[in-house]
Amino acid sequence: MSDAAQPTVAEVRAAVEAVKAALDRHLAAVEHRTGEDDPAVYQAFEALASAAEAYDELLYDTYDEVTPFEVPLGDTLPEYNGPEEPEAISVLIRRDYTVGDPERLVQQAERVADAGQEAGTDVAAAIGALFGEYEPDEIAERHKEFGLEEGDSTVWVTAVEAAEPGEWLATPFEQADPRHLICRFDVSAVFDDESDALGEERDQA
């Protein structure tokens, strides 16, 4: 492992418990699938893959051991089955952060609070204040300033049917159909590690 803090035994155990829970959710989704390409099954698969990958990394960092699981990436997406000429698209963005400095986060939230309005002294209230003040893109650019540390991120661009104003707001994240995925862009430390390894191999050649 690099300069990052060594994982604790408790973190490894928490990761393996997350894998167990993800296995149960995946089996439940499979048992109740509504069709061959049920999005719920795909989402459960993705969650299981993510949990297994996190556990594998912690296990290796802590005990120098690996699991027999191979987490497939990109090429596991189902074949595109959307319209050839989409009339509308939906851009789905997920960015993960860890709260690296809670005190800084709360302080920054207090600075943007309206005059006479308390931003709140807990982390959840501070996050709400910051995201209420800044656009997600600005949060992404200034995350260190807000005491946040970047995790994985992904952007999906999917073909959708044009929606009426407010039509999908009640359930905004249930319409992601991987069969209508036009393109996908992932950012992860996993890819950085792979690139570093390739670079070392080239240097040694």
Side-chain angles (χ1 to χ4, degrees), residues 107-205:
Q107 289 175 346
Q108 290 291 342
E110 290 175 344
R111 291 178 182 175
V112 302
D114 293 336
Q117 176 182 344
E118 293 292 334
T121 57
D122 62 279
V123 170
I127 291 172
L130 287 173
F131 276 86
E133 177 71 16
Y134 301 108
E135 293 291 333
D137 286 346
E138 186 168 1
I139 295 286
E141 292 176 0
R142 301 172 59 184
H143 62 278
K144 292 182 180 179
E145 179 182 335
F146 300 137
L148 300 173
E149 297 176 3
E150 268 187 328
D152 292 349
S153 66
T154 188
V155 177
W156 286 26
V157 182
T158 67
V160 296
E161 295 182 4
E164 295 295 327
E167 182 178 344
W168 49 258
L169 289 179
T171 55
F173 303 113
E174 292 184 0
Q175 309 302 321
D177 188 341
R179 297 169 301 174
H180 294 174
L181 187 62
I182 297 173
C183 54
R184 171 177 176 172
F185 306 94
D186 297 319
V187 177
S188 173
V190 173
F191 307 133
D192 294 339
D193 292 343
E194 291 174 353
S195 298
D196 291 343
L198 290 173
E200 290 175 2
E201 290 175 2
R202 284 194 292 268
D203 292 340
Q204 294 171 0

Side-chain angles (χ1 to χ4, degrees), residues 75-110:
D75 58 356
T76 62
L77 291 172
E79 184 177 353
Y80 178 72
N81 192 31
E84 291 185 7
E85 298 183 3
E87 296 182 0
I89 62 171
S90 181
V91 180
L92 309 175
I93 301 175
R94 171 173 173 171
R95 298 186 179 116
D96 281 8
Y97 302 93
T98 55
V99 181
D101 191 339
E103 184 176 349
R104 174 183 286 273
L105 181 66
V106 171
Q107 289 175 346
Q108 290 291 342
E110 290 175 344

